[in-house]
């Protein structure tokens, strides 16, 4: 989770919501990283998870990321949960829960939907308070006077 948190912090430089993601291979090596870049790129699909999965596919030379784990600081939204399923990662690890848009158990449970052809293992709550605090601090700064 450490590298994902570092990516989340780096997103702050572009005024993006601090969410970071990394794809790790079977041996535990980081294959690719991603951070939110919606503001930086003016791209509604530039979520940390999608960018990390795209980068990992490019590095590995295949869209099938079986054997890999996606680690992300926040529970994925529906778009990102769909990308997790479609990428065929073996495992999804996330930090804090996404009460507004979470699609891995909070509002929906896309990755465990039995109608889909792939269901990754899910591990949640890793360094949850640290991941959640990054988001709380970011949104508090957005609401501060003079902003």
């Amino acid at each position: 989770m450490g590298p994902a948190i570092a990516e989340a912090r780096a997103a702050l430089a572009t005024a993006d919501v601090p969410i970071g993601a990394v794809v790790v291979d079977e041996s535990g090596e980081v294959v690719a990283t991603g951070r939110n870049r919606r503001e930086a790129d003016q791209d509604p699909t530039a979520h940390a998870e999608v960018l990390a999965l795209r980068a990992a596919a490019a590095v590995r030379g295949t869209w099938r990321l079986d054997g890999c784990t996606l680690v992300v600081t926040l529970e994925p939204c529906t778009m990102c949960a769909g990308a997790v399923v479609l990428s065929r990662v073996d495992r999804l690890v996330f930090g804090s829960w996404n009460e507004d848009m979470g699609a891995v158990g909070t509002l929906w449970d896309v990755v465990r939907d039995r109608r889909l052809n792939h269901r990754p293992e899910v591990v949640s709550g890793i360094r949850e308070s640290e991941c959640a605090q990054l988001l709380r601090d970011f949104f508090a700064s957005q609401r501060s006077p003079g902003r």
Side-chain angles (χ1 to χ4, degrees), residues 54-143:
R54 284 179 186 162
V59 167
R60 290 176 60 115
T62 179
W63 63 268
R64 293 178 184 269
L65 300 178
D66 38 358
C68 291
T69 298
L70 175 67
V71 180
V72 61
T73 56
L74 182 67
E75 175 188 7
C77 68
T78 53
M79 176 182 70
C80 295
V84 166
V85 171
L86 294 172
S87 70
R88 307 295 197 272
V89 296
D90 286 353
R91 186 174 306 98
L92 167 65
V93 175
F94 67 88
S96 62
W97 294 92
N98 185 345
E99 299 297 324
D100 297 327
M101 297 186 356
V104 185
T106 298
L107 299 178
W108 301 279
D109 202 348
V110 172
V111 299
R112 293 187 196 97
D113 191 318
R114 293 180 188 269
R115 296 168 292 183
L116 300 176
N117 64 350
H118 180 72
R119 288 179 295 283
E121 175 189 357
V122 175
V123 178
S124 59
I126 305 303
R127 293 174 69 174
E128 181 176 1
S129 60
E130 188 176 355
C131 293
Q133 191 63 49
L134 275 170
L135 292 164
R136 280 192 297 273
D137 292 348
F138 173 78
F139 286 113
S141 75
Q142 297 299 301
R143 291 186 292 271

